[in-house]
Amino acid sequence: MTNPPAAWIRSIGLIGPGMADWPACAAILAGDAAWSPEKTVLNAPEQLPPAERRRAVRVVKLALGIGLQATTAAGMDPSGLATVFSSSGGDGVNCHQICETLASDDRQISPTRFHNSVHNAAAGYWGIATGATAPSAVLCAYDGSFGAGLLEALAQVRFDGQPCLLLAYDADYPEPLRAARPIPDAFGVALLLTPEREANSCGRLAAKLTDAPPDTLADPALDALRCSIPAARSLPLLEAIAASRSGRVVLDYLAHARLAVDYTA
């Protein structure tokens, strides 16, 4: 690819273990703060009506939390933003409870459980919370979901010439599902991408496929986080952004391909 899709980063939202937001994560990745991997705290945003706030599951709280962080930091109205939601799976707790019900004598699934089980549930709640009417794409690429979402968002910015909000997120599963899909905690990152540089842009991204090995993190604990949660495959790129370090970052993507991201601070 001679002219890979590119965009400017207007703002970032992030929630993860011991990381309440992007400034906290940036300080850890830049070496300015120690990381304490406490359990990820997720709250339903006040923008949701009371009934939907009560029904919101973990991935919904996570996706809306990172998205609203990014749009608030940018001072942008989320209602007109195109979005790309990318996750390796749905809400594990909800899936577990549906499986328990189906394995019981009473196999009737509640409507709330059912509507929270679909992969685009977070996008639907986002529309309710923000009044968004712009196009929304919802992707899943197993462990490569962050890379797939990033490529989709960059392509949208390039061809539509409009900002696009990428939301990549994953949450943990209870046992016995965790034995098959051992995601230990919730982690999500949102990148608000724009076609042109703006006053507070924090760098430019361009991405293409490569067969080079993926970058790792020097801190063993943070690198274990990178490997254990699909959305956390973004951490080497976020480390470069936190350090304002221009250069190429290679991220895990598909089984036989990696994603080379050229970052310009």
Side-chain angles (χ1 to χ4, degrees), residues 209-215 248-253 256-260:
L209 299 181
T210 181
D211 57 2
D215 288 336
R248 173 163 292 185
V249 180
V250 179
L251 303 178
D252 281 302
Y253 183 37
H256 302 293
R258 307 292 181 263
L259 194 63

Side-chain angles (χ1 to χ4, degrees), residues 232-256:
R233 304 294 201 276
S234 58
L235 282 171
L237 173 60
L238 297 175
E239 182 183 51
I241 297 171
S244 297
R245 186 181 68 243
S246 298
R248 173 163 292 185
V249 180
V250 179
L251 303 178
D252 281 302
Y253 183 37
L254 303 176
H256 302 293

Side-chain angles (χ1 to χ4, degrees), residues 29-79:
L29 293 176
D32 297 328
W35 181 45
S36 178
E38 300 170 356
K39 186 72 174 176
T40 300
V41 177
L42 299 173
N43 298 303
E46 293 298 319
Q47 288 86 340
L48 281 173
E52 281 72 23
R53 203 179 311 141
R54 289 192 300 271
R55 297 169 182 153
V57 293
R58 281 176 64 76
V59 292
V60 167
K61 295 174 183 178
L62 177 59
L64 269 62
I66 59 176
L68 291 169
Q69 279 187 18
T71 55
T72 299
M76 294 183 69
D77 181 0
S79 65

